[in-house]
Amino acid sequence: MYSYLEASSLLDFDQTIAKPLFDGVKYPWEVLPKISDFIIALGETLDPNEYEKRGENIWIAKSAKVYDSAYLTGPLIVCANAEIRHCAFIRGSVIVGEGAVIGNSTELKNSIIFNYAQVPHYNYVGDSILGYRSHMGAGSITSNLKSDKTLVTIITDDGRVETGLKKFGAMVGDYVEVGCGSVLNPGSVIGRKTSIYPLSMVRGYIHEGSIYKKKGEVVERTHGFCE
């Protein structure tokens, strides 16, 4: 019933160094508690000709650009040609994919950023996954904890899906565009190639290929995308 929530429906696993983490996983949020241990194990196998170890459990590709003002905490892997910009704050348990951009004053924790995803301006991404070539507009955030601190559920047209997680931000599919100033509430799952209007308040599952404005108002659902 919930096949649209499955990891394979949202994400191209070939576009992340974390591909093995998704082996045997049905729903993408199942990997969130496993990110830290996975990074530590994978980091020790990385080619020292390609990656430099900088501090405890931090591996940075030699081709990546990391600004001096960025603050990095492990476990962390930053892949080839990624860019970590001025005053970025990475709090640990993060994989930054090849060619990805983590921007000015952006904060990340316990998240997987797929290849060529962009989080470039004043963003917060926690307990989340951002798919291949997804983009977070300036000031958009993932909210990862409910105000009443109860476990996160995902709201869909077919009912509610229990995640068993207290902290869960958003699962953002490949090629998703999130407009500036938007909030992805706990348990948001955004289908591939969806566009979110600026200043949107998002909750639950948003269908693949949608243009989403606000709750109850999907402006359009399109098909036949070019990649």
Side-chain angles (χ1 to χ4, degrees):
M1 179 184 295
Y2 299 109
S3 60
Y4 48 82
L5 296 178
E6 293 180 10
S8 59
S9 296
L10 297 165
L11 304 163
D12 181 352
F13 304 139
D14 289 331
Q15 295 297 335
T16 177
I17 199 173
K19 181 178 180 178
L21 184 58
F22 291 91
D23 287 348
V25 167
K26 184 173 184 180
Y27 297 120
W29 56 85
E30 294 172 13
V31 308
L32 293 178
K34 306 174 184 179
I35 295 173
S36 179
D37 290 342
F38 175 80
I39 292 172
I40 293 169
L42 179 61
E44 297 295 345
T45 71
L46 295 175
D47 186 347
N49 293 317
E50 298 181 15
Y51 285 83
E52 176 185 358
K53 191 172 184 181
R54 301 187 190 179
E56 185 175 5
N57 297 323
I58 297 175
W59 292 270
I60 310 294
K62 293 180 179 180
S63 61
K65 182 175 182 180
V66 179
Y67 283 62
D68 291 340
S69 58
Y71 189 93
L72 310 181
T73 302
L76 169 65
I77 294 174
V78 178
C79 296
N81 301 309
E83 186 172 352
I84 312 296
R85 292 178 177 168
H86 176 68
C87 289
F89 180 27
I90 300 181
R91 290 168 48 195
S93 301
V94 171
I95 294 173
V96 178
E98 179 179 347
V101 174
I102 310 303
N104 174 34
S105 302
T106 290
E107 180 179 352
L108 306 181
K109 59 91 65 173
N110 198 52
S111 295
I112 300 173
I113 312 301
F114 274 51
N115 298 346
Y116 299 100
Q118 295 188 340
V119 200
H121 308 288
Y122 306 103
N123 305 101
Y124 173 72
V125 176
D127 301 283
S128 297
I129 297 174
L130 303 186
Y132 175 62
R133 292 194 181 276
S134 60
H135 175 260
M136 300 281 287
S140 60
I141 67 167
T142 67
S143 174
N144 62 334
L145 181 66
K146 294 173 65 176
S147 58
D148 61 5
K149 309 300 190 293
T150 56
L151 300 181
V152 174
T153 61
I154 299 170
I155 302 167
T156 78
D157 294 342
D158 300 308
R160 291 176 177 263
V161 178
E162 302 291 337
T163 70
L165 298 173
K166 187 176 180 179
K167 289 193 174 182
F168 173 164
M171 302 290 110
V172 177
D174 300 334
Y175 298 101
V176 166
E177 289 281 343
V178 179
C180 297
S182 295
V183 176
L184 308 184
N185 282 284
S188 294
V189 180
I190 315 299
R192 282 177 169 154
K193 300 173 181 175
T194 286
S195 293
I196 306 295
Y197 264 47
L199 301 178
S200 293
M201 184 74 69
V202 180
R203 189 181 306 276
Y205 174 68
I206 308 301
H207 288 276
E208 177 176 330
S210 298
I211 299 174
Y212 177 91
K213 188 171 183 180
K214 61 184 179 180
K215 183 177 180 180
E217 184 174 351
V218 176
V219 179
E220 182 179 359
R221 290 181 66 185
T222 57
H223 303 281
F225 289 85
C226 295
E227 295 188 359

